[in-house]
Protein backbone atom coordinates (compact mmCIF):
# COMPACT_ATOMS: atom_id res chain seq x y z
CA UNK A 1 0.00 0.00 0.00
CA UNK A 2 1.48 3.35 -0.98
CA UNK A 3 1.37 6.05 1.66
CA UNK A 4 -1.37 8.66 1.12
CA UNK A 5 0.80 11.50 2.46
CA UNK A 6 4.54 12.00 2.72
CA UNK A 7 6.11 13.92 5.60
CA UNK A 8 9.70 15.11 5.57
CA UNK A 9 11.63 17.21 8.08
CA UNK A 10 13.75 20.02 6.58
CA UNK A 11 15.32 21.49 9.70
CA UNK A 12 15.19 21.03 13.46
CA UNK A 13 15.56 23.49 16.33
CA UNK A 14 18.79 23.27 18.33
CA UNK A 15 18.17 21.40 21.58
CA UNK A 16 14.37 21.46 21.19
CA UNK A 17 11.91 19.12 19.46
CA UNK A 18 10.62 21.83 17.08
CA UNK A 19 10.99 21.24 13.35
CA UNK A 20 10.16 22.69 9.94
CA UNK A 21 8.91 20.21 7.39
CA UNK A 22 6.70 19.45 4.44
CA UNK A 23 3.59 17.26 4.11
CA UNK A 24 2.83 16.23 0.56
CA UNK A 25 -0.81 15.32 -0.08
CA UNK A 26 -2.62 14.37 -3.30
CA UNK A 27 -4.04 17.93 -3.38
CA UNK A 28 -0.92 19.92 -2.67
CA UNK A 29 1.85 20.61 -0.20
CA UNK A 30 1.52 21.79 3.39
CA UNK A 31 4.60 23.59 4.72
CA UNK A 32 4.86 22.82 8.42
CA UNK A 33 4.48 24.07 11.03
CA UNK A 34 1.19 25.29 9.60
CA UNK A 35 -2.08 26.71 10.85
CA UNK A 36 -5.06 24.85 9.38
CA UNK A 37 -8.10 27.03 8.74
CA UNK A 38 -11.34 25.64 10.13
CA UNK A 39 -14.26 25.18 7.77
CA UNK A 40 -16.58 23.27 10.07
CA UNK A 41 -19.47 22.83 7.64
CA UNK A 42 -17.40 22.88 4.44
CA UNK A 43 -17.19 26.65 4.70
CA UNK A 44 -14.65 28.88 6.42
CA UNK A 45 -17.32 31.16 7.82
CA UNK A 46 -17.82 34.40 5.86
CA UNK A 47 -15.06 33.60 3.33
CA UNK A 48 -15.10 32.31 -0.25
CA UNK A 49 -12.38 29.78 -1.17
CA UNK A 50 -10.70 32.58 -3.14
CA UNK A 51 -10.54 34.63 0.06
CA UNK A 52 -9.29 31.60 2.02
CA UNK A 53 -6.40 31.37 -0.45
CA UNK A 54 -5.70 35.06 0.03
CA UNK A 55 -5.08 34.44 3.76
CA UNK A 56 -2.19 32.14 2.82
CA UNK A 57 -4.05 29.04 4.02
CA UNK A 58 -2.76 25.77 2.59
CA UNK A 59 -5.30 23.40 4.17
CA UNK A 60 -8.90 23.43 5.43
CA UNK A 61 -10.35 21.24 8.19
CA UNK A 62 -14.06 20.37 8.12
CA UNK A 63 -16.10 18.53 10.70
CA UNK A 64 -17.51 15.05 10.43
CA UNK A 65 -20.35 15.49 12.91
CA UNK A 66 -21.76 18.57 11.20
CA UNK A 67 -21.42 17.29 7.62
CA UNK A 68 -22.88 13.90 8.53
CA UNK A 69 -26.06 15.61 9.74
CA UNK A 70 -26.17 18.27 7.04
CA UNK A 71 -25.95 17.89 4.03
CA UNK A 72 -25.06 14.21 4.71
CA UNK A 73 -21.84 12.40 3.84
CA UNK A 74 -23.45 10.32 1.06
CA UNK A 75 -24.53 13.51 -0.66
CA UNK A 76 -21.05 15.05 -0.38
CA UNK A 77 -19.64 11.83 -1.86
CA UNK A 78 -22.10 12.02 -4.72
CA UNK A 79 -20.88 15.53 -5.51
CA UNK A 80 -17.29 14.29 -5.77
CA UNK A 81 -16.14 14.83 -2.19
CA UNK A 82 -15.44 17.79 0.03
CA UNK A 83 -12.94 19.54 -2.24
CA UNK A 84 -15.17 19.56 -5.26
CA UNK A 85 -18.31 20.28 -3.26
CA UNK A 86 -16.90 23.43 -1.63
CA UNK A 87 -14.61 24.42 -4.54
CA UNK A 88 -11.46 24.33 -2.38
CA UNK A 89 -8.69 22.74 -4.44
CA UNK A 90 -6.03 22.43 -1.74
CA UNK A 91 -5.56 19.77 0.92
CA UNK A 92 -8.42 19.04 3.34
CA UNK A 93 -8.85 17.31 6.68
CA UNK A 94 -11.87 16.14 8.66
CA UNK A 95 -12.00 15.85 12.43
CA UNK A 96 -13.63 12.63 13.61
CA UNK A 97 -16.67 14.16 15.26
CA UNK A 98 -15.67 12.72 18.62
CA UNK A 99 -15.24 16.08 20.24
CA UNK A 100 -18.53 17.48 19.01
CA UNK A 101 -20.42 14.40 20.10
CA UNK A 102 -18.96 14.57 23.58
CA UNK A 103 -18.82 18.27 24.19
CA UNK A 104 -21.59 19.45 26.45
CA UNK A 105 -23.36 16.21 25.70
CA UNK A 106 -21.50 14.15 28.21
CA UNK A 107 -18.42 15.36 30.00
CA UNK A 108 -19.16 19.05 29.85
CA UNK A 109 -22.62 18.83 31.33
CA UNK A 110 -21.23 18.03 34.76
CA UNK A 111 -20.67 20.44 37.60
CA UNK A 112 -17.43 22.31 37.28
CA UNK A 113 -17.39 23.04 41.02
CA UNK A 114 -15.73 19.73 41.81
CA UNK A 115 -12.58 20.99 40.16
CA UNK A 116 -10.26 22.06 42.83
CA UNK A 117 -6.99 21.23 41.17
CA UNK A 118 -7.31 23.71 38.32
CA UNK A 119 -6.28 27.05 39.72
CA UNK A 120 -8.30 29.14 37.32
CA UNK A 121 -11.25 27.43 35.60
CA UNK A 122 -11.74 30.45 33.33
CA UNK A 123 -8.47 29.43 31.71
CA UNK A 124 -10.05 26.21 30.52
CA UNK A 125 -9.72 26.04 26.76
CA UNK A 126 -12.49 24.63 24.70
CA UNK A 127 -11.23 23.18 21.48
CA UNK A 128 -11.80 21.53 18.15
CA UNK A 129 -14.23 23.63 16.20
CA UNK A 130 -16.96 23.78 18.79
CA UNK A 131 -18.89 26.41 16.96
CA UNK A 132 -22.06 26.94 18.88
CA UNK A 133 -24.10 23.94 17.78
CA UNK A 134 -23.75 20.90 19.92
CA UNK A 135 -25.50 17.57 20.03
CA UNK A 136 -27.76 16.89 22.95
CA UNK A 137 -27.88 14.03 25.38
CA UNK A 138 -24.82 12.19 24.18
CA UNK A 139 -24.57 8.78 25.79
CA UNK A 140 -21.38 6.76 25.72
CA UNK A 141 -21.36 3.00 25.37
CA UNK A 142 -18.50 0.58 24.88
CA UNK A 143 -19.19 0.44 21.14
CA UNK A 144 -19.95 4.05 20.33
CA UNK A 145 -22.00 7.09 21.20
CA UNK A 146 -25.67 7.81 20.79
CA UNK A 147 -26.78 11.41 20.58
CA UNK A 148 -29.55 13.64 19.38
CA UNK A 149 -29.03 15.97 16.44
CA UNK A 150 -28.94 19.66 17.30
CA UNK A 151 -31.05 20.22 14.16
CA UNK A 152 -34.13 18.14 14.69
CA UNK A 153 -33.63 15.97 17.74
CA UNK A 154 -33.31 12.74 15.70
CA UNK A 155 -31.36 9.97 17.38
CA UNK A 156 -28.03 8.88 15.91
CA UNK A 157 -25.43 6.32 16.84
CA UNK A 158 -21.78 6.73 15.89
CA UNK A 159 -19.21 3.98 16.29
CA UNK A 160 -15.54 4.19 15.30
CA UNK A 161 -16.38 2.27 12.11
CA UNK A 162 -19.23 4.64 11.32
CA UNK A 163 -17.03 7.70 11.81
CA UNK A 164 -14.44 6.23 9.42
CA UNK A 165 -17.16 5.37 6.86
CA UNK A 166 -18.47 8.94 7.02
CA UNK A 167 -14.98 10.40 6.66
CA UNK A 168 -14.15 8.18 3.69
CA UNK A 169 -17.36 9.42 2.07
CA UNK A 170 -16.49 13.06 2.78
CA UNK A 171 -13.19 12.39 1.01
CA UNK A 172 -10.64 14.59 2.80
CA UNK A 173 -6.89 13.95 2.42
CA UNK A 174 -6.38 13.47 6.17
CA UNK A 175 -8.97 12.03 8.56
CA UNK A 176 -8.95 11.33 12.30
CA UNK A 177 -9.71 8.28 14.44
CA UNK A 178 -12.84 8.45 16.58
CA UNK A 179 -11.95 9.39 20.16
CA UNK A 180 -13.54 10.37 23.41
CA UNK A 181 -12.59 13.81 24.55
CA UNK A 182 -12.90 14.09 28.33
CA UNK A 183 -13.11 17.24 30.34
CA UNK A 184 -10.00 17.89 32.46
CA UNK A 185 -12.42 18.24 35.36
CA UNK A 186 -13.24 14.51 35.31
CA UNK A 187 -11.87 12.17 37.97
CA UNK A 188 -8.70 10.18 37.30
CA UNK A 189 -10.73 6.99 37.26
CA UNK A 190 -13.10 8.33 34.63
CA UNK A 191 -10.25 9.68 32.51
CA UNK A 192 -8.54 6.30 32.66
CA UNK A 193 -11.70 4.46 31.56
CA UNK A 194 -12.25 6.97 28.76
CA UNK A 195 -8.64 6.61 27.66
CA UNK A 196 -8.91 2.84 27.42
CA UNK A 197 -12.07 3.30 25.36
CA UNK A 198 -10.31 5.81 23.07
CA UNK A 199 -7.48 3.31 22.58
CA UNK A 200 -9.86 0.49 21.65
CA UNK A 201 -11.67 2.87 19.31
CA UNK A 202 -8.37 3.97 17.75
CA UNK A 203 -7.52 0.35 16.92
CA UNK A 204 -11.00 -0.24 15.50
CA UNK A 205 -10.80 3.00 13.47
CA UNK A 206 -7.45 1.90 12.03
CA UNK A 207 -8.60 -1.66 11.23
CA UNK A 208 -11.73 -0.43 9.50
CA UNK A 209 -9.83 2.28 7.61
CA UNK A 210 -7.32 -0.29 6.35
CA UNK A 211 -10.07 -2.63 5.19
CA UNK A 212 -11.76 0.21 3.25
CA UNK A 213 -8.44 1.13 1.64
CA UNK A 214 -7.75 -2.48 0.67
CA UNK A 215 -11.23 -2.73 -0.83
CA UNK A 216 -10.50 0.43 -2.80
CA UNK A 217 -7.31 -0.86 -4.43
CA UNK A 218 -4.94 0.75 -1.94
CA UNK A 219 -6.27 4.27 -2.40
CA UNK A 220 -7.69 6.42 0.39
CA UNK A 221 -6.98 9.17 2.89
CA UNK A 222 -4.30 9.33 5.58
CA UNK A 223 -5.50 8.49 9.08
CA UNK A 224 -4.27 10.26 12.21
CA UNK A 225 -4.69 8.67 15.66
CA UNK A 226 -5.53 10.91 18.61
CA UNK A 227 -3.62 10.96 21.90
CA UNK A 228 -5.77 11.77 24.92
CA UNK A 229 -5.14 11.49 28.66
CA UNK A 230 -6.17 14.86 30.04
CA UNK A 231 -3.79 16.52 32.46
CA UNK A 232 -2.40 13.33 33.96
CA UNK A 233 1.21 12.60 33.10
CA UNK A 234 0.84 8.82 33.41
CA UNK A 235 -2.23 8.75 31.16
CA UNK A 236 -0.79 11.12 28.55
CA UNK A 237 2.38 9.03 28.30
CA UNK A 238 0.44 5.77 28.19
CA UNK A 239 -1.69 7.19 25.40
CA UNK A 240 1.32 8.44 23.41
CA UNK A 241 2.94 4.98 23.75
CA UNK A 242 -0.20 3.16 22.64
CA UNK A 243 -1.37 5.45 19.82
CA UNK A 244 2.22 6.14 18.71
CA UNK A 245 2.78 2.39 18.43
CA UNK A 246 -0.05 1.89 15.93
CA UNK A 247 0.45 2.32 12.21
CA UNK A 248 -1.20 5.73 11.85
CA UNK A 249 0.01 8.26 9.25
CA UNK A 250 0.20 11.02 11.86
CA UNK A 251 -1.16 12.01 15.24
CA UNK A 252 -3.55 14.43 16.83
CA UNK A 253 -3.03 15.65 20.38
CA UNK A 254 -6.49 16.09 21.78
CA UNK A 255 -8.20 17.02 24.97
CA UNK A 256 -9.44 20.20 26.51
CA UNK A 257 -6.54 21.79 28.26
CA UNK A 258 -6.33 24.07 31.18
CA UNK A 259 -3.94 26.69 29.84
CA UNK A 260 -1.43 25.89 32.56
CA UNK A 261 -1.32 22.19 31.54
CA UNK A 262 -0.89 22.49 27.82
CA UNK A 263 2.87 22.83 27.61
CA UNK A 264 3.64 19.91 29.89
CA UNK A 265 1.12 17.70 28.08
CA UNK A 266 2.61 18.53 24.66
CA UNK A 267 6.13 17.85 25.93
CA UNK A 268 5.21 14.47 27.47
CA UNK A 269 3.48 13.35 24.31
CA UNK A 270 5.97 14.56 21.70
CA UNK A 271 8.90 12.93 23.52
CA UNK A 272 7.20 9.61 22.84
CA UNK A 273 5.46 9.93 19.45
CA UNK A 274 7.54 8.76 16.47
CA UNK A 275 9.52 11.69 15.12
CA UNK A 276 8.97 10.90 11.48
CA UNK A 277 5.18 11.46 11.46
CA UNK A 278 3.29 14.77 11.67
CA UNK A 279 1.62 15.91 14.91
CA UNK A 280 -1.48 18.07 15.07
CA UNK A 281 -2.38 19.96 18.26
CA UNK A 282 -6.15 20.02 17.97
CA UNK A 283 -8.11 23.19 18.59
CA UNK A 284 -5.25 25.45 19.70
CA UNK A 285 -4.40 28.74 17.99
CA UNK A 286 -3.56 31.71 20.22
CA UNK A 287 -0.14 33.23 19.40
CA UNK A 288 1.53 32.30 22.71
CA UNK A 289 0.29 28.72 22.40
CA UNK A 290 1.45 28.48 18.79
CA UNK A 291 5.01 29.41 19.81
CA UNK A 292 4.88 26.84 22.61
CA UNK A 293 3.59 24.14 20.27
CA UNK A 294 6.04 24.84 17.45
CA UNK A 295 8.96 24.92 19.87
CA UNK A 296 7.88 21.55 21.25
CA UNK A 297 7.52 19.72 17.97
CA UNK A 298 3.94 20.34 16.85
CA UNK A 299 3.51 20.50 13.05
CA UNK A 300 -0.17 21.42 12.63
CA UNK A 301 -2.67 23.55 14.52
CA UNK A 302 -6.29 24.48 13.98
CA UNK A 303 -8.66 26.69 15.90
CA UNK A 304 -11.94 28.50 15.34
CA UNK A 305 -10.67 31.56 17.23
CA UNK A 306 -9.39 33.64 14.26
CA UNK A 307 -12.68 33.47 12.38
CA UNK A 308 -14.93 33.56 15.44
CA UNK A 309 -13.03 36.58 16.78
CA UNK A 310 -13.03 38.06 13.29
CA UNK A 311 -16.80 37.93 13.10
CA UNK A 312 -17.09 39.63 16.49
CA UNK A 313 -14.60 42.43 15.86
CA UNK A 314 -11.80 41.11 18.08
CA UNK A 315 -8.78 41.43 15.81
CA UNK A 316 -5.13 40.45 16.21
CA UNK A 317 -2.44 43.08 15.84
CA UNK A 318 1.31 42.93 16.37
CA UNK A 319 0.71 44.89 19.59
CA UNK A 320 -1.97 42.50 20.88
CA UNK A 321 -5.69 41.92 20.31
CA UNK A 322 -8.05 44.85 20.01
CA UNK A 323 -11.82 45.12 19.75
CA UNK A 324 -12.18 47.37 16.75
CA UNK A 325 -15.82 48.11 17.66
CA UNK A 326 -14.63 50.26 20.54
CA UNK A 327 -15.44 53.98 20.32
CA UNK A 328 -11.75 54.92 20.39
CA UNK A 329 -11.40 53.58 16.80
CA UNK A 330 -14.28 55.57 15.32
CA UNK A 331 -11.99 58.28 14.01
CA UNK A 332 -8.83 56.22 13.63
CA UNK A 333 -7.79 56.55 9.99
CA UNK A 334 -4.75 54.29 10.37
CA UNK A 335 -4.58 50.66 9.22
CA UNK A 336 -5.65 47.89 11.57
CA UNK A 337 -2.05 46.71 11.92
CA UNK A 338 0.65 48.66 10.07
CA UNK A 339 2.93 45.60 10.20
CA UNK A 340 0.40 43.23 8.59
CA UNK A 341 0.62 42.51 4.88
CA UNK A 342 -3.01 41.43 4.33
CA UNK A 343 -5.36 43.16 1.91
CA UNK A 344 -7.54 44.48 4.76
CA UNK A 345 -4.64 46.28 6.42
CA UNK A 346 -3.49 47.64 3.06
CA UNK A 347 -6.89 48.99 2.01
CA UNK A 348 -9.12 49.81 4.98
CA UNK A 349 -8.95 52.04 8.05
CA UNK A 350 -9.75 51.12 11.63
CA UNK A 351 -12.52 53.72 11.46
CA UNK A 352 -14.20 51.93 8.53
CA UNK A 353 -13.89 48.51 10.23
CA UNK A 354 -15.30 50.02 13.44
CA UNK A 355 -18.23 51.37 11.47
CA UNK A 356 -18.93 48.04 9.73
CA UNK A 357 -19.17 46.14 13.03
CA UNK A 358 -21.25 48.83 14.70
CA UNK A 359 -23.62 48.89 11.71
CA UNK A 360 -23.82 45.06 11.72
CA UNK A 361 -22.65 44.92 8.11
CA UNK A 362 -21.67 41.40 6.98
CA UNK A 363 -18.55 42.80 5.35
CA UNK A 364 -17.13 43.47 8.82
CA UNK A 365 -17.05 39.74 9.59
CA UNK A 366 -15.50 38.97 6.21
CA UNK A 367 -12.73 41.57 6.47
CA UNK A 368 -12.08 40.72 10.13
CA UNK A 369 -11.81 37.00 9.28
CA UNK A 370 -9.48 37.63 6.33
CA UNK A 371 -7.17 39.69 8.51
CA UNK A 372 -7.26 37.36 11.55
CA UNK A 373 -6.63 34.24 9.50
CA UNK A 374 -3.84 35.94 7.55
CA UNK A 375 -2.31 37.16 10.82
CA UNK A 376 -2.28 33.72 12.48
CA UNK A 377 -1.31 31.76 9.35
CA UNK A 378 1.45 34.23 8.57
CA UNK A 379 2.69 34.13 12.17
CA UNK A 380 3.17 30.35 11.93
CA UNK A 381 4.84 30.79 8.53
CA UNK A 382 7.26 33.26 10.11
CA UNK A 383 7.98 30.72 12.86
CA UNK A 384 8.74 28.16 10.16
CA UNK A 385 11.07 30.57 8.39
CA UNK A 386 12.77 31.37 11.71
CA UNK A 387 13.44 27.64 12.25
CA UNK A 388 14.94 27.42 8.76
CA UNK A 389 17.01 30.58 9.35
CA UNK A 390 18.16 29.44 12.80
CA UNK A 391 16.71 32.43 14.71
CA UNK A 392 13.51 31.03 16.24
CA UNK A 393 14.26 32.21 19.80
CA UNK A 394 15.03 35.76 18.66
CA UNK A 395 11.84 35.87 16.60
CA UNK A 396 9.76 34.53 19.50
CA UNK A 397 11.18 37.02 21.99
CA UNK A 398 10.75 39.94 19.60
CA UNK A 399 7.17 39.04 18.65
CA UNK A 400 5.93 38.27 22.16
CA UNK A 401 7.59 41.29 23.79
CA UNK A 402 5.49 43.51 21.55
CA UNK A 403 2.35 41.32 21.33
CA UNK A 404 1.87 40.65 25.03
CA UNK A 405 3.30 43.81 26.55
ZN1 LIG B 1 -4.07 42.48 8.21
Amino acid sequence: MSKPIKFSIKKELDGKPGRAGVIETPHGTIHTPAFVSVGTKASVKALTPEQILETGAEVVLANTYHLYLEPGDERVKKFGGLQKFMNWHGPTMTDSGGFQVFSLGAAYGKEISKVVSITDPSQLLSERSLDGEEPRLAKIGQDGVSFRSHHDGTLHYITPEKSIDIQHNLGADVIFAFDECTSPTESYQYQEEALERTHRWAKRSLDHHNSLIRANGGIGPALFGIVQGGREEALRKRSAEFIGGLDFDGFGIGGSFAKEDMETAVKWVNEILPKDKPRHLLGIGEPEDLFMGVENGVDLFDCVAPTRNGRGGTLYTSSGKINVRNAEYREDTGPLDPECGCSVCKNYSRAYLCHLYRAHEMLGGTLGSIHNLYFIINLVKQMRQAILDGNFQEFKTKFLSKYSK
Side-chain angles (χ1 to χ4, degrees), residues 43-328:
S43 152
V44 176
K45 289 189 196 304
L47 302 189
T48 64
E50 294 75 19
Q51 289 166 326
I52 303 171
L53 268 182
E54 191 190 317
T55 68
E58 291 183 325
V59 46
V60 171
L61 173 124
N63 187 269
T64 298
Y65 164 76
H66 287 96
L67 294 175
Y68 159 68
L69 291 178
E70 191 61 48
D73 51 299
E74 298 279 356
R75 190 167 286 138
V76 173
K77 185 183 181 183
K78 208 164 84 185
F79 287 132
L82 191 58
Q83 271 125 344
K84 203 161 172 219
F85 188 49
M86 68 181 285
N87 191 36
W88 167 258
H89 304 294
T92 51
M93 310 174 90
T94 44
D95 196 354
S96 65
F99 179 69
Q100 284 68 29
V101 170
F102 289 110
S103 61
L104 303 176
Y108 285 70
K110 298 188 179 161
E111 286 294 317
I112 200 154
S113 57
K114 67 179 172 182
V115 193
V116 278
S117 51
I118 292 173
T119 43
D120 181 2
S122 72
Q123 292 290 296
L124 219 59
L125 302 169
S126 70
E127 52 118 52
R128 290 169 71 184
S129 53
L130 179 58
D131 234 359
E133 291 160 342
E134 295 87 27
R136 314 255 177 261
L137 305 168
K139 219 170 146 225
I140 304 157
Q142 289 306 315
D143 261 3
V145 186
S146 56
F147 62 92
R148 288 194 183 278
S149 158
H150 70 269
H151 286 290
D152 54 10
T154 49
L155 196 61
H156 298 267
Y157 189 61
I158 293 205
T159 60
E161 291 79 11
K162 177 80 178 163
S163 171
I164 296 298
D165 282 337
I166 297 169
Q167 295 188 78
H168 274 251
N169 283 340
L170 294 172
D173 298 302
V174 176
I175 69 175
F176 282 90
F178 193 61
D179 63 320
E180 174 171 352
C181 180
T182 52
S183 162
T185 65
E186 291 289 352
S187 69
Y188 185 92
Q189 192 199 343
Y190 184 84
Q191 302 219 27
E192 190 168 28
E193 283 168 27
L195 189 67
E196 293 306 325
R197 197 157 37 230
T198 288
H199 290 172
R200 287 194 299 274
W201 289 359
K203 183 82 178 50
R204 282 170 53 183
S205 295
L206 184 61
D207 289 346
H208 189 61
H209 170 75
N210 285 336
S211 70
L212 290 180
I213 289 201
R214 274 193 301 273
N216 198 33
I219 296 168
L223 177 64
F224 283 20
I226 299 181
V227 176
Q228 289 285 357
R231 61 206 310 256
E232 302 292 342
E233 180 171 3
L235 297 184
R236 277 281 168 199
K237 288 185 167 171
R238 193 197 301 176
S239 189
E241 295 277 3
F242 182 87
I243 300 290
L246 295 176
D247 189 25
F248 287 112
D249 301 299
F251 303 97
I253 304 170
S256 277
F257 296 95
K259 194 128 179 148
E260 63 207 38
D261 298 332
M262 201 191 318
E263 181 165 358
T264 48
V266 168
K267 282 182 177 164
W268 294 329
V269 167
N270 281 352
E271 266 173 26
I272 295 171
L273 288 178
K275 256 183 73 177
D276 59 348
K277 293 179 180 179
R279 304 146 175 176
H280 185 136
L281 182 56
L282 290 154
I284 300 298
E286 290 298 327
E288 299 88 344
D289 305 329
L290 294 169
F291 276 105
M292 180 285 294
V294 167
E295 196 165 357
N296 289 296
V298 174
D299 306 298
L300 296 162
F301 304 85
D302 75 275
C303 189
V304 297
T307 43
R308 181 188 288 160
N309 285 336
R311 294 194 301 283
T314 299
L315 306 179
Y316 298 93
T317 82
S318 47
S319 324
K321 272 187 277 196
I322 65 167
N323 191 328
V324 82
R325 293 173 60 100
N326 289 347
E328 62 183 294

Side-chain angles (χ1 to χ4, degrees), residues 368-388:
S369 297
I370 290 175
H371 164 77
N372 273 0
L373 264 185
Y374 180 96
F375 185 92
I376 295 294
I377 288 168
N378 190 52
L379 177 60
V380 179
K381 283 185 181 176
Q382 288 177 282
M383 291 182 204
R384 181 178 195 275
Q385 193 58 48
I387 295 175
L388 294 174

Side-chain angles (χ1 to χ4, degrees), residues 316 336-337 340-346 370-372 374-375:
Y316 298 93
L336 177 56
D337 181 0
C340 177
C342 89
S343 63
V344 177
C345 293
K346 277 189 233 154
I370 290 175
H371 164 77
N372 273 0
Y374 180 96
F375 185 92

